[in-house]
């Protein structure tokens, strides 16, 4: 049994790298989908399909006897779905639509910083000096990263980056608020119930835009891309990432997330010709360095690392 552990760890590392690669490559695809369908059209498609996927998963695991939750936890799951999934994904969609794939990946990778700030606000964690320094460095890096857009008065793209930071903060809330619910009910029921809670409000919100979307004019390759973005990236890759964390541990898996912006940048350059200035690249490096410093400087709470690690993924749901 012990002889199989190194091999299992290598397999988990390979799967983790493939998942992060898929997430990075998804940013240009998501940008193309949002351009073709509009944010509301994409949200409608996503929240029309996701309930079918999570319902199928719950039926496969539990049959017709789904885990019961108390009334208090039911309200908590509803808030989790509306804010941590619904609002987060709506903000992410508008942010990616207004910004660029590489910028989106960098801004959403700032999630661990917001996780630490929320934990501090809830009184669950005291920030160490190195963490405060990391947060300050990340903020300076983000400002440098956005400087070319701000100096050029590109308010749409700058606004998209700010919206993406807010989206990262909303998913940080999801990370923190979901932890006690996951401990009581398990990860799959929490994900499923939160997804179902967010589905109807987001379908109602996105319906006006979905009605105006020219669905018949969407090319076949984009339909395949949409299926991959929702089923492959938003559903299957999360299950695979959960398996990677179970095999390797969250602390060993978390650093893989910092490969996502380089993958996204390379994919954006190859697919859409996105250009990168030196201030932008330097700002991205400083931002991610500050996030890493804030994320990994604490040895006191492994749960923070779990939250920070998950927090780096919101864009591709």
């Amino acid at each position: 049994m012990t002889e199989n552990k190194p091999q299992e760890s290598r397999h988990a590392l390979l799967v983790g790298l493939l998942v992060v690669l898929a997430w990075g490559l998804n940013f240009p695809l998501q940008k193309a989908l949002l351009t073709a369908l509009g944010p509301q059209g994409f949200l409608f498609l996503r929240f029309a399909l996701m309930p079918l996927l999570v319902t199928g998963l719950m039926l496969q695991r539990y049959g017709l006897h789904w885990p019961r939750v108390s009334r208090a936890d039911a309200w908590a799951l509803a808030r989790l779905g509306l804010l941590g999934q619904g609002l987060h994904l709506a903000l992410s969609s508008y942010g990616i639509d207004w910004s660029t794939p590489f910028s989106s990946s960098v801004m959403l990778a700032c999630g661990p910083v917001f996780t630490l700030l929320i934990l501090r606000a809830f009184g669950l964690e005291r920030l160490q000096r190195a963490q405060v320094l990391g947060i300050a460095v990340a903020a300076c890096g983000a400002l440098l990263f956005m400087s070319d857009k701000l100096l050029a008065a590109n308010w749409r793209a700058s606004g998209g980056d700010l919206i993406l930071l807010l989206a990262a903060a909303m998913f940080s809330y999801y990370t923190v608020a979901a932890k006690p619910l996951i401990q009581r009910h398990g990860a799959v029921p929490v994900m499923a119930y939160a997804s179902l809670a967010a589905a109807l409000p987001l379908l109602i919100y996105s319906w006006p835009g979905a009605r105006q979307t020219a669905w018949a004019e969407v090319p076949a390759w984009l339909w395949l891309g949409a299926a991959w973005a929702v089923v492959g990236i938003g559903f299957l890759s999360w299950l695979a990432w959960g398996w990677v964390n179970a095999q390797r541990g969250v602390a060993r898996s978390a650093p893989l997330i910092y490969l996502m912006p380089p993958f996204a940048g390379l994919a954006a350059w190859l697919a859409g010709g996105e250009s990168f200035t030196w201030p932008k690249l330097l700002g991205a490096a400083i931002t991610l360095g500050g996030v890493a410093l804030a994320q990994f400087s604490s040895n006191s709470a492994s749960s923070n690392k779990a939250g920070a690690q998950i927090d780096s993924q919101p864009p591709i749901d």
Side-chain angles (χ1 to χ4, degrees):
M1 182 175 181
T2 56
E3 294 179 357
N4 292 332
K5 286 186 177 181
Q7 185 176 4
E8 291 175 357
S9 181
R10 286 194 295 270
H11 288 164
L13 174 60
L14 177 60
V15 172
L17 288 171
L18 291 175
V19 169
V20 173
L21 175 63
W23 284 340
L25 297 180
N26 186 62
F27 280 94
L29 172 61
Q30 186 122 347
K31 178 72 174 182
L33 289 170
L34 290 167
T35 301
L37 304 178
Q40 287 189 328
F42 178 77
L43 286 170
F44 185 86
L45 183 63
R46 197 266 182 199
F47 282 96
L49 292 177
M50 190 56 67
L52 301 178
L53 296 173
V54 298
T55 298
L57 179 61
M58 290 291 285
L59 289 174
Q60 186 272 329
R61 288 209 173 191
Y62 302 104
L64 298 178
H65 304 287
W66 292 16
R68 294 185 178 183
V69 299
S70 66
R71 181 176 298 180
D73 280 356
W75 282 111
L77 287 165
R79 289 194 301 271
L80 195 67
L82 291 173
L83 297 178
Q85 288 199 23
L87 185 57
H88 153 68
L89 288 169
L91 291 171
S92 296
S93 297
Y94 282 101
I96 296 173
D97 185 45
W98 294 357
S99 187
T100 65
F102 180 60
S103 295
S104 301
S105 67
V106 173
M107 293 296 101
L108 287 167
C110 294
V113 167
F114 292 107
T115 300
L116 291 173
L117 292 174
I118 291 173
L119 288 169
R120 176 65 182 89
F122 286 176
L124 300 175
E125 175 72 8
R126 294 182 61 184
L127 296 182
Q128 299 179 3
R129 186 174 301 175
Q131 291 176 309
V132 175
L133 176 61
I135 292 171
V137 169
C140 292
L143 184 61
L144 177 60
F145 183 81
M146 296 172 58
S147 61
D148 58 341
K149 300 172 186 175
L150 294 171
L151 292 174
N154 189 344
W155 306 123
R156 178 181 173 86
S158 300
D161 287 348
L162 293 175
I163 288 174
L164 287 164
L165 287 175
L166 183 56
M170 294 312 304
F171 197 79
S172 295
Y173 159 78
Y174 180 93
T175 300
V176 175
K179 182 182 176 183
L181 293 168
I182 290 174
Q183 290 175 335
R184 289 195 291 271
H185 306 292
V188 170
V190 168
M191 180 192 71
Y193 290 149
S195 297
L196 293 174
L200 182 58
L202 265 293
L203 287 173
I204 293 173
Y205 165 76
S206 58
W207 171 243
R211 289 185 60 187
Q212 298 177 9
T213 300
W215 298 100
E217 298 177 9
V218 177
W221 73 270
L222 266 184
W223 279 113
L224 292 175
W228 170 249
V230 176
V231 180
I233 299 297
F235 184 69
L236 295 179
S237 70
W238 275 100
L239 297 178
W241 187 249
W243 178 81
V244 170
N245 285 331
Q247 295 295 316
R248 290 175 52 83
V250 170
R252 294 179 63 203
S253 301
L256 298 177
I257 298 305
Y258 295 97
L259 295 173
M260 188 172 63
F263 287 151
L266 180 60
W269 176 66
L270 291 173
E274 184 173 348
S275 59
F276 310 104
T277 62
W278 282 111
K280 191 171 185 178
L281 292 174
L282 180 60
I286 294 174
T287 300
L288 295 176
V291 173
L293 177 61
Q295 180 180 7
F296 297 111
S297 60
S298 173
N299 296 320
S300 62
S302 60
S303 61
N304 291 0
K305 294 178 181 178
Q309 168 292 112
I310 295 170
D311 227 5
S312 303
Q313 319 319 323
I316 56 255
D317 285 341

